[in-house]
Amino acid sequence: MEYMKEKLGSWQVGTSHTTDRVRFKVFFPNENNGLQHNIKSIQVTGDFQTELGQTAWDFTNAPSLTRTSHPEGEVWSYETPTDLKAGFYEYKYY
């Protein structure tokens, strides 16, 4: 399973212990039964949005993930344009 090598979920991009960009990733496998996922878009929302100058849990302005093809399906990802303070953030995909 090639997709197991992907860092999925949410994780810090760099090695800083105080601030760094964060990447969010989710994987959808190919359907064996011929059905397609038909997902048009995915957004990520959470309390981290305040670090981006937004309102926490703002579904209307939540960042959009970008879809890329993967040999076993699709990977959707988003990387924050700026560093976030190190710590625990709650988030969900929408």
Side-chain angles (χ1 to χ4, degrees), residues 4 10-11 15 17-18 21-22 28 31 33 35-37 40 51 62 73-74 76 80-81 90:
M4 295 298 286
S10 170
W11 51 278
T15 58
H17 295 290
T18 57
R21 291 174 293 127
V22 173
F28 286 95
E31 293 285 342
N33 58 11
L35 296 174
Q36 297 298 316
H37 295 293
K40 303 284 187 230
E51 296 290 318
E74 299 174 342
W76 290 75
T80 60
E90 294 180 300

Side-chain angles (χ1 to χ4, degrees), residues 3-14:
Y3 74 90
M4 295 298 286
K5 295 178 183 174
E6 299 281 340
K7 286 186 173 181
L8 301 173
S10 170
W11 51 278
Q12 189 176 350
V13 176

